[in-house]
Amino acid sequence: MRHEEFIGQVQDRARLPGWGDAERASRATLETLGERVPEGLADHLAAQLPHEIGEHLRRTEVYGGLGSGERFGKHDFIERVALRAGTNEARAAFLARSVLDVVGDATQGSITAKVRDALPPDVRELMPAGHHGRPPA
């Protein structure tokens, strides 16, 4: 999947009016996901995504003085997405689900499953259950 296709799918699924809104939602969600999953797993997931999108997972930007693999639940995940995307938490939850749904479509099922398994159950709710992603190349 190309960068333009990824952002276009996020824009469609999240019902966003503009391209910049979809990029902002993608960045906010993936930077937060990159903080939550272990670094090596974030790298594997990033390698499956368009370069511009995958880089959001690899950001060294640290929220709250902690780093990759940080333990936090769904409320904190959504709060971080909301702050980064400049929106309220209800909208951020919808945006995060939309972005993670596109991530599931763009990645191999085994990588998506490992990411889901690395998340606590409440955060796992944000990723589509049973999403198999694209088949291995």
Side-chain angles (χ1 to χ4, degrees), residues 51-121:
H51 176 75
E52 301 90 332
I53 301 299
E55 285 304 302
H56 298 311
L57 287 162
R58 295 182 174 129
R59 295 262 166 145
T60 57
E61 177 182 340
V62 176
Y63 185 98
L66 300 171
S68 186
E70 180 185 349
R71 294 188 148 328
F72 55 84
K74 182 179 176 182
H75 175 75
D76 290 327
F77 191 100
I78 297 303
E79 182 177 63
R80 291 175 191 210
V81 172
L83 287 171
R84 286 181 167 130
T87 192
N88 64 50
E89 291 182 19
R91 182 75 176 144
F94 179 72
L95 294 173
R97 282 187 187 96
S98 299
V99 171
L100 294 173
D101 191 37
V102 175
V103 167
D105 285 346
T107 59
Q108 292 180 4
S110 61
I111 299 296
T112 307
K114 287 178 184 177
V115 169
R116 283 190 91 248
D117 290 347
L119 299 171

Side-chain angles (χ1 to χ4, degrees), residues 1 11 26 29 46-47 52 70 75 78 81 121-123:
M1 180 180 291
Q11 185 178 359
S26 297
T29 301
E52 301 90 332
E70 180 185 349
H75 175 75
I78 297 303
V81 172
D122 63 336
V123 178

Side-chain angles (χ1 to χ4, degrees), residues 2 4 9 15-17 21 29 37 39 43 54 56 58-59 67-68 72 79 94 106 118 123 125:
R2 293 181 356 261
E4 296 79 15
Q9 286 188 22
R15 293 177 242 139
L16 293 166
D21 298 319
T29 301
V37 297
E39 185 176 350
D43 285 338
H56 298 311
R58 295 182 174 129
R59 295 262 166 145
S68 186
F72 55 84
E79 182 177 63
F94 179 72
V123 178
E125 294 172 10

